Amino acid sequence: MSELGAPTVSDVDLTGQALVGMSPGLHGVLAVPAGEGPWPAVVMVHEAFGLTDVMKRQVERMAASGFLVLMPDLFVDGGPRKCLRATFAAITSGRGRVWIDVEAARSYLVGREDCTGRVGVLGFCMGGGFALVAAADRGFDVASVNYGRLPRDLDDALTGACPIVGSYGGRDNSLRGAAAKLDAALEARGIPHDVKEYPSAGHSFLNDAPTGPAALRPLMKAILGAGPEPEAAADAWARIDDFFRLHLAD
């Protein structure tokens, strides 16, 4: 992480984008780097547990590295319990409110005077799967896929995709082989990429604290290897920052 000083973090109202079909009351967490812009921007897509304090710290962490970062609350209509199934269905189909809400976030960033006009998308878990699908023809210049599930038709999903950096945990039994498969598909299509699997890490290893209901955490740890892995996380963040700086340069 570069030493740029603490970013300014605030909750922003995104309803002014007025896109047809977007969530009523859509808002998000915005982090503006210290100093003077303009900066390249990043739309962050949260994990399946929603816009938690852990996710807010991820927004702040990336802004501290010199990116204008916005994470929209994709569960604004009722939290994870009500919205999770519909959100996963939308990611699979490529249609639905979640896509409109993320486009509202992207449009908001591009419309700011302190944005260079270059925008990436980064997601965790559920958001990682979203970022992978969003890499093609959604207005993003680069994508970061972090332990995101691969679409069934990976080759079709990658048609026209922007450069992709991907990070997976070798102890995540739910995504066994995903990193190698994604790497091979990107290589075959000649898409600039950097995909890495960390043997010591599991699902959600980029987080700085456990997430999800406390009662489920032992099961998640056993099956997914879920939880922080600081050494792998530090390497992954360095790769993400470098990859985004390269592909979001003016």
Side-chain angles (χ1 to χ4, degrees):
M1 186 185 302
S2 60
E3 299 297 331
L4 299 177
T8 301
V9 182
S10 61
D11 191 89
V12 295
D13 181 359
L14 298 174
T15 58
Q17 302 309 299
L19 299 182
V20 176
M22 68 182 285
S23 294
L26 181 65
H27 64 94
V29 173
L30 173 73
V32 180
E36 296 183 5
W39 301 280
V42 177
V43 175
M44 263 194 189
V45 187
H46 56 68
E47 62 184 13
F49 300 118
L51 212 169
T52 62
D53 288 342
V54 172
M55 291 291 100
K56 293 175 183 178
R57 290 195 294 273
Q58 300 287 38
V59 173
E60 186 173 358
R61 194 227 72 87
M62 196 162 197
S65 289
F67 300 94
L68 183 65
V69 187
L70 174 60
M71 180 179 282
D73 184 357
L74 303 181
F75 295 161
V76 69
D77 278 348
R81 182 170 297 181
K82 181 179 178 181
C83 301
L84 189 59
R85 180 176 295 180
T87 302
F88 270 109
I91 293 171
T92 301
S93 68
R95 302 183 302 274
R97 179 171 287 179
V98 62
W99 291 99
I100 300 170
D101 289 352
V102 169
E103 173 56 25
R106 193 193 70 84
S107 297
Y108 172 87
L109 290 169
V110 171
R112 289 178 59 100
E113 292 184 356
D114 55 2
C115 177
T116 64
R118 304 278 292 174
V119 187
V121 59
L122 181 154
F124 308 94
C125 176
M126 176 195 79
F130 183 95
L132 181 56
V133 179
D137 302 322
R138 299 283 180 172
F140 293 107
D141 299 296
V142 63
S144 175
V145 179
N146 301 294
Y147 29 91
R149 189 169 298 281
L150 306 185
R152 289 183 179 179
D153 191 340
L154 182 57
D155 288 336
D156 183 63
L158 292 177
T159 300
C162 61
I164 293 173
V165 53
S167 299
Y168 289 82
R171 296 177 58 229
D172 184 352
N173 292 322
S174 70
L175 294 170
R176 188 169 295 172
K181 185 175 180 180
L182 177 59
D183 185 72
L186 291 168
E187 184 68 26
R189 286 189 168 273
I191 297 169
H193 64 284
D194 174 5
V195 179
K196 185 172 181 178
E197 180 179 277
Y198 294 90
S200 64
H203 202 76
S204 69
F205 73 89
L206 283 168
N207 290 348
D208 63 7
T211 55
L216 291 180
R217 289 176 189 172
L219 183 63
M220 293 167 57
K221 185 73 173 178
I223 298 176
L224 307 178
E229 215 295 0
E231 185 174 346
D235 184 79
W237 276 122
R239 291 172 42 246
I240 292 167
D241 287 346
D242 289 346
F243 198 84
F244 270 46
R245 288 192 186 101
L246 174 65
H247 293 287
L248 292 179
D250 289 340

